[in-house]
Amino acid sequence: MENFPHYFTLPKSRAIHQIYILILIALTISSCQKDIVDSPIPPSILEIEAPQNLSSIPTGSTIILKAKTNSPDNLRYEWKVNNVWLSNNMPQISLTTSKKGEYNIKLYVSNSAGTDSISLKYYSIETPKEGCSKWISQITEFRPAPGQYTNKSPGNPASSQTIVGKKGMVSLGGYGGYIVFNFDHTVINGNGDDFVVHGNAFKGNSEAGIVAVAFDANGNGRPDPEEWYDLAGSAHSAPGTNRNYTITYFKPSQTETSEDIQWSDNTGAEGLLKATNFHKQCYYPLFLAEGVPDKLEYSGTLLPPTAVQNPSTGNWVVGDLEWGYADNYSEKYPLVVNDDPDTRNSNKFDISNAVDKNGKSISLPAIDFVKVYTAVNQQAGWLGETSAEVCGAISLRAQ
Ligand SMILES: [Ca+2]
Ligand SMILES: [Ca+2]
Ligand SMILES: [Ca+2]
């Protein structure tokens, strides 16, 4: 009996025993509650409440962003906009989109138990002003590759200006040669085609140019290298297409008259851009902003060759691609858009076809710059190198 606990040996103490247990339970509950206060659960952000259509906020407007969390008590809020911290410890912020471009919002919510974070991206877009022009308003850059028209019409700087405000013609030279232009408004990515680019193609004479687009995401008024995306066309996933192509052209021994231009590329191939019998000037561009360096590099997507010679006639056919390239004939090429006769003989482009270097689709709300570059590296016999021509462009989003 001595070994039994004290309260079993004293029947009178049963009530006291029950009181002990109740006190013990009460102490346990109280201790648990104390633990909750000392160690809260980490916060969890449910969402940032934001306006419905974040992809088209007009520049200059103000929006309210509001954090929604699972446990709103005793939280610290830290907001970052385009990598700049806001000095604000509030669950909501008011932001004015003073400049157009991309806005990257990051929200951190913390308490003593931890931190949660969430990201949100939206775009501020300048809507076209009434009376803006459908035509190209400015040539941002003209950097043709060597070619039979380079340094003379239609392949000189004066030629590049002929497509401002109207139709004209500029030749881009061999693979990689390009022109960059813009309109007097941001071209919004609406339903279907958003702009057209005119060429001088006809059936069997398609000198494909890849069209790339840039949305001025950082709002600095310039197309930066990371802002460019190709618009994919029918040959972008074809066997033989190289999405990471770089060609280097070498300055000829003299620049007074034409001679073959040597090139090499990042696949290890090399060859000659041949001087033809018809064009006697130097083919290596002599007017670029960088002067006349010993070599010139051009990069982008390379499409497979399209030129075929008819063995019996000796004539060359520079084949048509199905869709999605400038200076390329297709059934849609002669058609007009929106009953506007100025859109005849053009290729039609939809910003929704933008892809990154891996071919992954990129969603762009709008674009500020268009680049057209020659997409193939080929000699079509006596026709010479294949070089895309640009004969104008029209925005389908002008007011
Ligand atoms: Ca579109
Ligand atoms: Ca920019
Ligand atoms: Ca052409």
Side-chain angles (χ1 to χ4, degrees):
M1 291 290 281
E2 299 91 338
N3 290 336
F4 280 95
H6 175 67
Y7 47 83
F8 280 164
T9 59
L10 297 171
K12 275 202 290 185
S13 68
R14 178 168 293 164
I16 296 171
H17 163 225
Q18 285 170 346
I19 288 168
Y20 280 161
I21 290 177
L22 284 174
I23 289 172
L24 197 63
I25 290 170
L27 281 173
T28 307
I29 290 172
S30 139
S31 141
C32 284
Q33 282 170 343
K34 192 162 183 295
D35 277 353
I36 288 169
V37 171
D38 281 349
S39 302
I41 53 165
S44 173
I45 303 170
L46 304 175
E47 63 167 339
I48 296 179
E49 272 185 10
Q52 285 284 308
N53 188 358
L54 284 175
S55 67
S56 61
I57 294 170
T59 304
S61 56
T62 298
I63 58 169
I64 306 289
L65 301 175
K66 201 183 288 183
K68 280 187 72 179
T69 61
N70 62 334
S71 49
D73 297 329
N74 298 318
L75 296 179
R76 174 166 181 76
Y77 299 87
E78 293 166 292
W79 297 85
K80 200 156 75 166
V81 179
N82 289 344
N83 280 322
V84 176
W85 290 104
L86 302 187
S87 54
N88 159 315
N89 177 22
M90 301 289 285
Q92 78 173 45
I93 56 170
S94 156
L95 270 183
T96 299
T97 57
S98 53
K99 66 174 189 176
K100 66 179 186 178
E102 196 174 289
Y103 284 72
N104 288 292
I105 310 294
K106 187 109 190 196
L107 166 65
Y108 297 85
V109 175
S110 32
N111 61 15
S112 59
T115 300
D116 193 16
S117 67
I118 193 170
S119 297
L120 178 71
K121 175 186 285 202
Y122 69 90
Y123 302 96
S124 162
I125 294 172
E126 267 177 0
T127 44
K129 294 182 179 63
E130 213 169 301
C132 63
S133 170
K134 66 184 179 181
W135 297 101
I136 292 171
S137 75
Q138 195 177 26
I139 304 302
T140 319
E141 189 183 3
F142 174 50
R143 191 170 182 267
Q148 57 194 300
Y149 296 106
T150 302
N151 296 317
K152 70 172 190 175
S153 177
N156 60 19
S159 312
S160 73
Q161 296 298 323
T162 64
I163 59 171
V164 174
K166 60 180 176 56
K167 288 182 77 173
M169 189 192 292
V170 59
S171 183
L172 305 180
Y175 175 81
Y178 65 83
I179 191 164
V180 179
F181 56 81
N182 58 270
F183 301 95
D184 65 5
H185 57 278
T186 295
V187 180
I188 288 168
N189 183 9
N191 285 332
D193 296 328
D194 305 296
F195 64 93
V196 310
V197 177
H198 303 90
N200 66 349
F202 53 88
K203 197 167 174 54
N205 182 37
S206 290
E207 301 182 285
I210 290 173
V211 173
V213 292
F215 175 61
D216 185 14
N218 60 10
N220 66 357
R222 294 191 301 275
D224 296 283
E226 69 279 8
E227 291 171 342
W228 283 115
Y229 297 100
D230 279 2
L231 296 185
S234 56
H236 258 64
S237 301
T241 291
N242 182 345
R243 290 202 191 95
N244 183 27
Y245 189 68
T246 297
I247 194 169
T248 306
Y249 297 100
F250 297 94
K251 189 173 138 186
S253 60
Q254 51 76 38
T255 56
E256 300 303 311
T257 60
S258 61
E259 71 176 54
D260 296 350
I261 305 287
Q262 288 187 10
W263 58 264
S264 65
D265 68 20
N266 63 347
T267 72
E270 52 187 37
L272 295 174
L273 190 148
K274 302 282 283 181
T276 70
N277 291 329
F278 309 109
H279 306 286
K280 300 298 187 188
Q281 87 293 357
C282 176
Y283 286 18
Y284 194 82
L286 303 175
F287 50 81
L288 302 180
E290 66 239 60
V292 190
D294 288 341
K295 55 186 184 180
L296 290 169
E297 271 191 12
Y298 298 80
S299 295
T301 301
L302 175 76
L303 301 186
T306 52
V308 180
Q309 187 176 29
N310 183 321
S312 50
T313 64
N315 289 337
W316 284 86
V317 169
V318 187
D320 313 321
L321 299 171
E322 200 180 329
W323 61 271
Y325 302 99
D327 200 15
N328 178 65
Y329 184 84
S330 70
E331 281 180 12
K332 276 183 79 181
Y333 185 75
L335 303 183
V336 301
V337 185
N338 300 339
D339 295 325
D340 179 356
D342 288 336
T343 59
R344 198 179 301 284
N345 293 334
S346 71
N347 299 98
K348 287 77 179 171
F349 295 93
D350 183 348
I351 297 166
S352 295
N353 290 322
V355 290
D356 68 10
K357 282 195 163 53
N358 300 314
K360 187 173 152 258
S361 183
I362 294 291
S363 171
L364 291 175
I367 54 114
D368 295 291
F369 300 95
V370 177
K371 177 195 280 185
V372 183
Y373 64 97
T374 298
V376 291
N377 178 25
Q378 71 184 1
Q379 293 282 135
W382 54 267
L383 287 177
E385 84 287 345
T386 298
S387 59
E389 275 76 43
V390 177
C391 300
I394 286 179
S395 163
L396 302 176
R397 306 300 174 204
Q399 293 259 323

